[in-house]
Structures are given as C-alpha cells and as structure tokens.
Amino acid sequence: MEKAVENNNVEDNEVNHRQMRSNIQVDDAKLPVWKKRRYHVVLMVFFGLCTLLNHRINLSVAIVAMTEKVNVTLSNGTVVEEQEFNWDSKQQGLILSSFFYGYIATQLLGGILASRFGGPLIYGIGIGATAVLTLLIPLAAKTHVALLFVIRILQGVFGGIVYPAILAIWANWAPTYERAFMGNIGYTGNYVGIITAMLLSGLISVAWGWEFIFYIFGSFGCLWYIVWIFVVKTSPEVDPFITEIEKKHILASLGDRGQVKKISHPWKNIFSSPAVWAVAVANFTASWGSFTLLTQLLLFLNDTISFNLSTTGVLAAIPYMAMVCVLFVSGFLADWVQVKGYLRTGQVRRYFTSCAFIIQMIFMLLTAFTNDPVQSVIFITVGVATGAFPWSGYAVNPLDLAPSHASIIYGLSNTLGNLSGIISPIISGYIVTDKSRDQWRIVFYICAGVFLFGAIFSLIFMRGKLQPWAKLDKEILENKKLAKDANISSENNRQ
C-alpha cells in the first residue's frame, strides 16, 4: 500500500514538473529577444569567432603587399625594383601555415581547460591573446622572419583552445531545442570573419599600409575581449543581469547542470565510443571537403581553364556569403523539426550530416568536370553552402552525447579534423605534378571517397541520446534535485 502511494506521488511530481517546465517555457517566449541573456552570449560568440578568423586570414592578404616588388627611383634617376621583405615561396608557405601548427596542438587541451575552468574564461583568453599577438606582427616581421614564425605559432596555440570552449559555453547556456540555432548563429562568425578579412584587408593596405591591417584587427580584438569580460558569465546562475524567467527556462531545459563543479572524464569510454568517433569522422570529412572546395578547387580552375577566382575579393567571398545565409536556415530547421516531432534528435544529427556530405560530393565532382567558369562558381557556391547543414549535425552532437564532456569530445574531433589540412595538400602535391585535368580528377575522386565514407559512417554510428557512460552526472544532478525538493517539502510541512 505504501509503495503504491509512493509511486503515485512520484507520478504526480513528474506531472507537476512537466507542467511547471511548460509554464516556464511559455513565460520565456513572452520575453523580448533583446532581453534574453543567452542571445547576448550568442552575439558575443559570433563577434569572437569573426575576430579570430580576421586574425587567421589577414596575413594571407597582407603578405602580398609585404612581398610586392615596387619601382623606386634613386637620386640619380635610376629606377630599380625593391621588396620590403624578400621572402621566397618556401618562407611564405611556412609563415602562412605556421598558425595551423600551433592550432592543431591545443584542440584537446582546450576541451580539458574549458571543462575545468569554464568555457567563457578559456574562450576569452584564446581570442584576447591572438588579438595582442596580432598587434605584434608588424614589429616581428621587421625584426626577423623567425620571430614572425613564432608569433604565428603562438596565435595558433591560443586559437586552438577557442572552439572546444564554445561547447562548454553552450552546455550552460543553450536550451536543448535551441542548440542548433544558437550554435549556427555563433558559428556564422567564422564566415563573416573570412569575408571581412578578404574584403577589408586589401582596402586598408592600399589606404594606410599593410601594418594597419594588423593594428586595426588587433585593436578590435582587444576591445572585444574587454566587452566579453563584462558581458558573458560562466552560467545563468551567476549572471546578475539575467531575468528570473529566462534563468528558470534554461536550467529547467538543461537539468540544472551548473551545480556540478568537478567533472571526472571517462577517457576510456570516450575513446571507445562509436558515437564519439562518428563526430570525429564527420569533422575530418567536413574539414577535408572544406580544404578541397575552397583551396584546391580554386587551383584546379586556375590550372585547367585559366580562371583565377582570387582576382576579386567579392567573387572569392561569394561561397562564404552563401554559407552565412544557409547557416541560419539549417539551424532553425534542425530545431524546428525536433520541436514539431517530425524527427528525433539522432535523426537530425545523422541526416543533416550525411545528406550534406553526399550533396557536397556531387557538386564537387560536377565542378571537376565542367569547363565553364560561371558554372564552376555556381557549383562551388552550392557545395560550400551545403556545408552549413553538418554544423547542425556533428558540430552540436557532443552536447547530445555527453554535455559534461562535450568540450573534450569536440577537442578530440577537431584535432582529427584539422589533420586533413596537413594530409590533403600533401596528397594533392604528389598527384598534381604537371597541372593536368586528369591528375586533378584523381584528387577529386579521393575527396569524393572521403565524403562517401563520412556519410556512411555518420549514418550508421551517429547518435542523439545521452550515452550510458555519461549518465552519471545526470543521476547525481537528479538525486540532488530530489533531495532539494524533499527538503523544501519537509520545511513546508513543518510550517
């Protein structure tokens, strides 16, 4: 009899909790968007990524002006050619790739630090440090090329901890059915950063000199960091500006995760989980495709049909502009089909990732077999824009699998993903020796194979549920919540 009463009480409590969460969600929906602190966080993440990509890309534009040969008239009337920096192609290649060497080294470390000290702290330090180092680039370049090389590696080291930290931020700030939308708004900063760096760096160099590319973007990064410190807090519980309604809504959706201070990561389970490796393989696939679609394909067009896309910054930015637009659509669509019950979380993650890889594979091959420059730009743009959908798939999937360990999972996957940036160009370099169309097609066949493998692997192994090895944190939280509710009930009864 007592057990039956206890079961009834549990069922009543569950009904009451569901009703309470529903009421909180309705109240949150009534709040104006500009009052919601979680969107302030998203906006700051957006500008942070925009800043980071400015710092990563601007040297690619500046180095043209830094190594440009200009005619100088001497006092005796003789005209000679001079270069401010007489770097050969090998030195330029080392300088441009040096960011990447530091970047790939700290992905997993960034996940560990974000999990231990909080996403906002690590995210802010990563971007703030790259901003300060950006300001030092003109001095380093004029001192010695080796110092410039070191500065760029350090930028990569600090830049590498940024992306895993984002997952730790979403784990505390993104309600379950807003993860894809909030994530995609934030990640849009990547592509806006590329666009602004491509469009503005050249204009700044012509107007004031190449040094001001780094002074302006570096100063903006420092200003962003100051604002970040004051605006973004670790979690809703410690944010003094958040409304009580929004705080309750976020905590109700996330299960009050902010109470866990120390997290023990189940490393063996993480490294042996097929669902985790699905995220890593998808990251590797997306990165390989990105390097091929946005770098090697442009070389292919230049080699085979004399179509140099880099002749105009606007034209080169078209694929990124398309990516920005589709990111908003894919994020909204991913959350909408879940809320409406059309697809489960796991299905969204699998379909958005796998289908996008197949479409990208098709348009990449179409580009390889066309001789028309206009068609090439269209195919590249569609292929790149389709890459927005996996951001609603694998990129936010660690939050579904293990929220407490999401930054670790993303750091692991991003390490594997960025290896493609080393492997892909090396393979292409060995294959494309005389710049023939047939040799380039081999490169595209390999990339198509990577896309196909990634699509199949994601479709089979990607999951959208909390993994068994990650349920311990949830059980601890639920026990704490039940104990808290019991204490409140006991106090009410005494009163």
Side-chain angles (χ1 to χ4, degrees):
M1 181 70 178
E2 291 180 359
K3 188 173 182 180
V5 172
E6 183 179 344
N7 289 336
N8 289 334
N9 289 335
V10 171
E11 291 177 359
D12 290 341
N13 287 335
E14 289 179 353
V15 172
N16 291 335
H17 284 153
R18 284 197 297 269
Q19 183 61 44
M20 181 181 67
R21 286 197 296 268
S22 178
N23 293 337
I24 291 172
Q25 190 172 2
V26 170
D27 291 338
D28 177 79
K30 295 178 181 178
L31 284 175
V33 173
W34 59 271
K35 273 191 175 183
K36 295 181 179 181
R37 289 288 290 166
R38 62 185 183 274
Y39 291 120
H40 299 172
V41 174
V42 170
L43 192 63
M44 289 302 298
V45 169
F46 167 88
F47 281 114
L49 290 181
C50 182
T51 300
L52 180 64
L53 266 294
N54 286 161
H55 300 159
R56 183 174 175 177
I57 297 296
N58 55 22
L59 183 59
S60 300
V61 180
I63 201 168
V64 176
M66 295 166 73
T67 58
E68 184 181 15
K69 293 181 179 180
V70 295
N71 292 327
V72 177
T73 303
L74 302 179
S75 57
N76 60 3
T78 304
V79 178
V80 296
E81 279 190 340
E82 287 187 359
Q83 282 179 283
E84 185 168 359
F85 298 97
N86 187 22
W87 298 328
D88 60 29
S89 59
K90 291 182 180 180
Q91 287 176 310
Q92 291 183 43
L94 284 172
I95 293 169
L96 292 175
S97 63
S98 55
F99 181 98
F100 189 81
Y101 296 130
Y103 181 77
I104 199 173
T106 53
Q107 294 291 323
L108 190 56
L109 175 63
I112 296 172
L113 293 174
S115 177
R116 176 67 180 85
F117 299 105
L121 177 65
I122 302 305
Y123 186 83
I125 289 175
I127 296 176
T130 60
V132 173
L133 290 166
T134 296
L135 293 172
L136 297 176
I137 285 179
L139 176 62
K142 294 176 180 180
T143 301
H144 197 279
V145 67
L147 183 57
L148 175 60
F149 188 72
V150 170
I151 292 292
R152 287 292 288 177
I153 290 178
L154 289 175
Q155 281 189 306
V157 167
F158 284 102
I161 66 177
V162 168
Y163 287 92
I166 296 176
L167 271 292
I169 295 172
W170 297 152
N172 284 328
W173 279 99
T176 303
Y177 292 118
E178 294 182 35
R179 285 172 179 170
F181 182 65
M182 290 176 61
N184 280 15
I185 293 176
Y187 291 132
T188 301
N190 285 317
Y191 304 100
V192 173
I194 293 172
I195 293 169
T196 53
M198 291 170 63
L199 297 181
L200 297 181
S201 294
L203 297 176
I204 294 172
S205 178
V206 172
W208 298 298
W210 63 265
E211 295 94 340
F212 279 86
I213 295 176
F214 304 104
Y215 295 150
I216 291 175
F217 285 125
S219 297
F220 180 82
C222 293
L223 177 63
W224 172 90
Y225 180 60
I226 294 171
V227 176
W228 174 265
I229 293 173
F230 289 101
V231 172
V232 179
K233 306 303 177 184
T234 303
S235 66
E237 295 103 317
V238 297
D239 192 324
F241 306 108
I242 193 171
T243 62
E244 195 65 26
I245 292 173
E246 185 184 12
K247 182 194 294 186
K248 289 180 179 179
H249 170 64
I250 295 174
L251 297 182
S253 175
L254 300 181
D256 209 13
R257 279 184 18 81
Q259 295 175 8
V260 176
K261 300 299 181 184
K262 293 184 179 180
I263 299 173
S264 178
H265 300 294
W267 293 104
K268 182 179 179 181
N269 291 321
I270 290 175
F271 280 97
S272 61
S273 170
V276 170
W277 282 106
V279 176
V281 169
N283 195 320
F284 180 87
T285 303
S287 299
W288 189 293
S290 177
F291 280 111
T292 301
L293 285 167
L294 296 178
T295 58
Q296 296 174 39
L297 268 181
L298 301 183
L299 293 174
F300 159 75
L301 295 175
N302 196 36
D303 290 343
T304 58
I305 55 179
S306 300
F307 182 69
N308 188 0
L309 195 61
S310 63
T311 55
T312 167
V314 175
L315 195 57
I318 286 177
Y320 298 102
M321 294 176 182
M323 181 74 142
V324 169
C325 297
V326 180
L327 271 170
F328 286 103
V329 175
S330 68
F332 173 80
L333 185 62
D335 291 331
W336 181 76
V337 294
Q338 290 180 81
V339 171
K340 292 294 183 180
Y342 299 139
L343 293 175
R344 298 187 300 273
T345 301
Q347 292 174 320
V348 170
R349 305 300 181 235
R350 286 193 294 274
Y351 298 160
F352 274 53
T353 301
S354 300
C355 293
F357 288 162
I358 295 298
I359 294 172
Q360 286 183 288
M361 177 188 70
I362 292 171
F363 278 94
M364 180 204 64
L365 291 175
L366 286 174
T367 305
F369 284 91
T370 185
N371 294 320
D372 186 282
V374 176
Q375 287 183 353
S376 298
V377 174
I378 294 173
F379 292 154
I380 291 174
T381 300
V382 175
V384 172
T386 306
F389 287 93
W391 284 103
S392 301
Y394 80 86
V396 294
N397 193 222
L399 293 170
D400 307 317
L401 304 178
S404 298
H405 317 293
S407 60
I408 298 293
I409 296 172
Y410 194 81
L412 170 65
S413 73
N414 225 23
T415 299
L416 183 62
N418 281 285
L419 284 175
S420 64
I422 297 175
I423 299 172
S424 177
I426 292 175
I427 291 177
S428 298
Y430 277 99
I431 294 174
V432 183
T433 56
D434 59 13
K435 300 182 180 182
S436 70
R437 181 179 293 274
D438 290 337
Q439 289 179 344
W440 271 110
R441 283 175 178 168
I442 296 174
V443 174
F444 301 142
Y445 291 148
I446 293 173
C447 187
V450 173
F451 270 128
L452 184 59
F453 175 77
I456 295 173
F457 198 94
S458 300
L459 195 61
I460 296 174
F461 295 108
M462 195 164 280
R463 296 292 181 267
K465 292 183 179 180
L466 188 72
Q467 296 300 287
W469 45 267
K471 289 183 178 179
L472 180 61
D473 292 325
K474 184 177 180 181
E475 291 172 359
I476 292 173
L477 289 169
E478 289 176 346
N479 291 335
K480 286 184 177 181
K481 184 172 180 60
L482 289 174
K484 182 179 178 181
D485 292 342
N487 291 334
I488 294 174
S489 178
S490 177
E491 292 177 2
N492 291 337
N493 290 335
R494 284 199 298 269
Q495 292 175 357

